């Protein structure tokens, strides 16, 4: 078990693709016996890139994922654009 104070130290978890099984669980812990009134965490469903994209680069096209429903966000890192009559998602 590894406990990390993420308020003091930002971390990034990268799991190698060669692992057969890996599990990562993050929860708030209060070792002094206190606890918040309500949890400040939630499960978030989303889409995640497997590599970095330059600003303006096409991430994917409408033809590649025709049934995908994209979430909306005020601080999104991608945008939908028209590219010659085809909708594309581009990196901001």
């Amino acid at each position: 078990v590894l406990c990390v104070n993420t308020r003091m130290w930002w971390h990034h978890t990268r799991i190698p693709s060669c692992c057969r099984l890996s599990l990562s669980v993050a929860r708030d812990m209060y070792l002094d016996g206190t606890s918040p009134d309500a949890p400040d965490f939630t499960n978030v469903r989303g889409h995640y890139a497997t590599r970095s994209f330059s600003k303006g680069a096409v991430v994917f096209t409408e033809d590649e994922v025709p049934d995908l429903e994209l979430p909306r966000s005020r601080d999104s890192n991608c945008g939908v654009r028209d590219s010659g009559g085809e909708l594309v998602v581009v990196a901001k």
Side-chain angles (χ1 to χ4, degrees):
V1 175
L2 170 67
C3 294
V4 177
N5 182 347
T6 57
R7 292 179 196 260
M8 302 294 290
W9 178 63
W10 182 87
H11 70 286
H12 174 79
T13 302
R14 182 173 180 273
I15 301 171
S17 60
C18 63
C19 294
R20 289 184 161 184
L21 174 66
S22 181
L23 178 66
S24 177
V25 178
R27 292 290 184 248
D28 288 340
M29 294 174 42
Y30 297 87
L31 302 177
D32 62 358
T34 63
S35 64
D37 294 334
D40 60 353
F41 58 86
T42 183
N43 291 329
V44 177
R45 291 178 184 240
H47 306 284
Y48 303 94
T50 56
R51 65 180 181 87
S52 297
F53 289 89
S54 301
K55 183 177 181 178
V58 174
V59 178
F60 59 86
T61 68
E62 178 182 27
D63 288 340
E64 293 173 323
V65 284
D67 299 326
L68 179 66
E69 293 183 29
L70 293 174
R72 297 177 187 264
S73 172
R74 287 188 201 132
D75 12 319
S76 65
N77 56 9
C78 291
V80 177
R81 304 285 183 267
D82 183 288
S83 177
E86 178 181 40
L87 292 178
V88 298
V89 172
V90 297
K92 286 186 176 178

